[in-house]
Amino acid sequence: MIEVTLEQIKTWIPCEIENEFMDHGIKGVSIDSRDIHNQNLFIPFKGEHVDGHKYVAQALKDGAGAAFYQKGEPLDENIDGPIIWVDDTLEALQHLAKAYLEFVNPQVIAVTGSNGKTTTKDMIESVLKPQFKVKKTQGNYNNEIGMPLTILQLDIDTEISILEMGMSGFHEIELLSKLAQPDIAIITNIGESHMQDLGSREGIAKAKSEITLGLKPGGLFIYDGDEPLLEPYANEIQNADLVSFGKNSDNTLVSTIETIKDHGIAFTINHDEHYELPILGEHNMKNATIAIAVGKRLNLTYQTIFNNLKNVVLTGMRMEQHHTKDEILVINDAYNASPTSMKAAIDTLSGMEGRKIIVLGDVLELGPDSQIMHEAVGLYFEDKDIDALFTLGNEAAHISHTGKAFVKKSEAFKEKADLIRSLKGYVQANDKVLVKGSRGMKLEEVVEALI
């Protein structure tokens, strides 16, 4: 956030500030009293176990320009500095972000989906960045606290803001969408993430479709047209444009693979426009198609989009390639996983040359159907050209149980060290090894052991 006065803050959000402080300036926002930069606005939250108001005095002493303070909370007598009194510090943060977004006034691109949010966000940035000043969500700052903080980091001359929207239940994305009021809203796909909280893929589709509730009139909704669960929500949208993408011929943008190589893929859009992507995985063709649709919406030429997409750079641990001294290709896709993305990883590896080994860890938070979903991943190995399957965890053992009939070698492990030891004894020169699992499994440690 650029430097603004407390007088300006008072015009943006409902609050009370003593008159003597109105000309004081703040610059940037912090919710961590241990990470205060000069003139930051410190925002304390009252949690179940920790009350951030206890740290307001120290934050001001360390250089904060001002601090939010929730009405009704006793004021620390050691506080020396400007206080902004608000009814609720979280709601005040959200109101401030909304006002600041309107002040900067960039075009807003909102992205959600069960899989591929970060990859899609990275691809959109790569397509747009040479022509526009773009800022995107960093890391997993995609919830009711993280997204407002992302907005408040915008520079005054930001032209495009790419905001990732995550959720674990209903009405969470609705709040974020109405806060951001996107010009373009995107749903990458509907998978099984948060099945434990939402009960079914139908529930997930309903929750993800809340991203359209804040869509500006005349905006654009881009969605996975191969997913029937999204069609009813697309049909409900009025006063906005729709673009569906996918492999099915009835989509607005029909993606078709041309070639698959060890270093990436080539594909066409509507059997006409040719594109190249330096990233593995047919599923990434659909993510790239979203970025192409955004580029077209913002009037970039075909050649510009083609060139920018060829130079795309992804956030780490997403189909990240490493070559060992023994010419073993290790593919680190260990940032996160779902049954759907695991099947996509199997497809990716199956299409490559040489001996192929896949390492899969537990998919977490699948609820009571977890065993069935893991077993379905194992059954997916039928007719796939995979040589060996290594799994880690109690749930992933179900993948090994059903998948062992379709691979030459299958081993299930409970301890990571045992898996690494067996895997290192098995791999040989020119093998292809793909590693994937939920974030909590930390399978990047397997990748590090190999490389």
Side-chain angles (χ1 to χ4, degrees), residues 107-144:
Q107 293 202 61
V108 176
I109 301 169
V111 182
T112 194
S114 295
N115 310 114
K117 292 187 293 295
T118 299
T119 297
T120 300
K121 182 180 65 179
D122 291 344
M123 289 183 177
I124 294 171
E125 180 191 41
S126 292
V127 165
L128 300 182
K129 199 167 186 178
Q131 279 67 43
F132 300 96
K133 179 159 185 179
V134 181
K135 278 219 167 184
K136 66 178 180 181
T137 301
Q138 298 297 319
N140 59 351
Y141 271 47
N142 61 8
N143 62 9
E144 75 279 8

Side-chain angles (χ1 to χ4, degrees), residues 372-427:
I372 295 171
M373 292 184 188
H374 281 87
E375 287 175 344
V377 173
L379 293 172
Y380 195 74
F381 281 92
E382 186 174 11
D383 300 325
K384 304 297 179 183
D385 184 17
I386 304 293
D387 293 282
L389 166 64
F390 290 76
T391 65
L392 178 67
N394 293 331
E395 296 302 305
H398 299 304
I399 300 175
S400 180
H401 176 71
T402 54
K404 62 185 178 183
F406 311 114
V407 296
K408 296 172 185 175
K409 178 183 177 64
S410 178
E411 287 193 74
F413 296 89
K414 292 186 178 181
E415 299 295 332
K416 198 177 298 177
D418 295 335
L419 183 151
I420 290 171
R421 191 178 304 111
S422 180
L423 181 62
K424 290 180 77 172
Y426 181 75
V427 294

Side-chain angles (χ1 to χ4, degrees), residues 44-257:
F45 297 116
K46 188 174 176 64
E48 289 184 24
H49 306 293
V50 179
D51 186 350
H53 292 84
K54 294 179 180 179
Y55 306 104
V56 169
Q58 187 62 47
L60 290 168
K61 184 179 179 182
D62 291 342
F68 279 171
Y69 217 93
Q70 196 155 299
K71 293 177 183 178
E73 292 299 313
L75 186 63
D76 185 339
E77 62 182 20
N78 295 314
I79 287 177
D80 181 21
I83 294 297
I84 302 171
W85 290 95
V86 297
D87 290 331
D88 181 281
T89 54
L90 175 57
E91 289 181 5
L93 168 65
Q94 293 164 352
H95 289 152
L96 179 61
K98 190 173 191 297
Y100 186 69
L101 187 63
E102 292 171 357
F103 177 69
V104 177
N105 196 32
Q107 293 202 61
V108 176
I109 301 169
V111 182
T112 194
S114 295
N115 310 114
K117 292 187 293 295
T118 299
T119 297
T120 300
K121 182 180 65 179
D122 291 344
M123 289 183 177
I124 294 171
E125 180 191 41
S126 292
V127 165
L128 300 182
K129 199 167 186 178
Q131 279 67 43
F132 300 96
K133 179 159 185 179
V134 181
K135 278 219 167 184
K136 66 178 180 181
T137 301
Q138 298 297 319
N140 59 351
Y141 271 47
N142 61 8
N143 62 9
E144 75 279 8
I145 295 175
M147 197 189 82
L149 292 174
T150 296
I151 290 170
L152 291 169
Q153 292 174 355
L154 296 177
D155 298 319
I156 191 63
D157 58 347
T158 302
E159 296 173 284
I160 307 285
S161 175
I162 307 172
L163 299 175
E164 182 178 324
M165 296 184 179
M167 60 90 199
S168 57
F170 294 114
H171 305 300
E172 295 177 12
I173 288 182
E174 177 181 6
L175 183 151
L176 300 178
S177 180
K178 288 181 176 178
L179 190 162
Q181 297 183 348
D183 299 272
I184 301 174
I186 297 162
I187 299 179
T188 59
N189 55 26
I190 301 300
E192 304 86 3
S193 301
H194 307 297
M195 189 79 82
Q196 184 172 302
D197 302 300
L198 297 169
S200 64
R201 292 184 72 250
E202 288 80 4
I204 295 167
K206 181 179 180 181
K208 295 293 185 185
S209 294
E210 292 171 8
I211 198 169
T212 64
L213 297 178
L215 186 62
K216 285 178 183 169
L220 173 66
F221 177 42
I222 303 173
Y223 67 100
D224 183 355
D226 293 345
E227 176 52 75
L229 293 176
L230 290 176
E231 203 61 38
Y233 300 100
N235 292 336
E236 288 178 0
I237 295 175
Q238 298 179 348
N239 198 19
D241 298 323
L242 305 179
V243 167
S244 63
F245 63 89
K247 299 186 211 177
N248 296 339
S249 60
D250 56 351
N251 283 303
T252 313
L253 298 178
V254 180
S255 310
T256 307
I257 281 286

Side-chain angles (χ1 to χ4, degrees), residues 272-292:
D272 179 26
E273 294 180 352
H274 167 85
Y275 294 94
E276 295 175 6
L277 193 63
I279 299 166
L280 297 169
E282 186 173 340
H283 59 288
N284 278 319
M285 171 181 70
K286 296 180 78 170
N287 297 330
T289 302
I290 296 170
I292 292 166

